[in-house]
Amino acid sequence: TVAVPPAEAGAEADVAAAVRKLARGDAAGAKALVRGHVAGDPASAFVLAVSESRLGNARRALALLQPFAQSGPPPLPGSTPVETQMLLHASLAEARALTGDVSGALASWDAYARLPDATDAEKAFARDRAEALAGRLSADAALAGWRAAEAPAARAALGPEAAAALRAQGDA
């Protein structure tokens, strides 16, 4: 066996406990466990980012999530790679929605729904979140988003409101 230095063992144990807290809906508790380990520990930074997203601290969450949006999330104890990908996409979607980046949020929900091992229930969850987000837009904003969207789920979520805008313009 490889001896783990005490500081690393503490970070790993705190990340594992924080993942369990997130699973129980305790984002504040998860944040408290990992915030002291963020420097040099990608798993701690990722769990902190998910916690910030769930707590509504969108700008902080996006700043912490940005490196993982490109490279993918780090492995988390007690979480499968697909679950960790879902955490990434859901956290990005919620944080982007809170900052007004509707197209980015919808693209993140699309990525969540298109994960290879996503269940029908998980796909329905992503679709429901995307539709709820699209439903808060004006018809004209939905039409603009629909025209700009590349993600199929985003276009589907925006479609009804976009169609209403076109009807109002006499183009449908």
Side-chain angles (χ1 to χ4, degrees), residues 27-110:
K31 177 181 175 177
L33 283 169
V34 297
R35 68 177 159 215
H37 302 294
V38 171
D41 183 28
S44 292
F46 182 75
V47 171
L48 179 61
V50 171
S51 300
E52 294 288 8
S53 179
R54 290 190 182 177
L55 292 168
N57 302 324
R59 295 201 189 289
R60 175 85 170 124
L62 288 173
L64 290 164
L65 287 167
Q66 198 54 45
F68 304 112
Q70 303 302 318
S71 66
L76 294 180
S79 210
T80 69
V82 170
E83 290 168 338
T84 309
Q85 284 285 339
M86 287 179 176
L87 281 173
L88 172 63
H89 294 301
S91 298
L92 282 169
E94 294 298 330
R96 287 173 172 160
L98 287 171
T99 62
D101 179 7
V102 174
S103 63
L106 292 172
S108 293
W109 283 124
D110 183 72

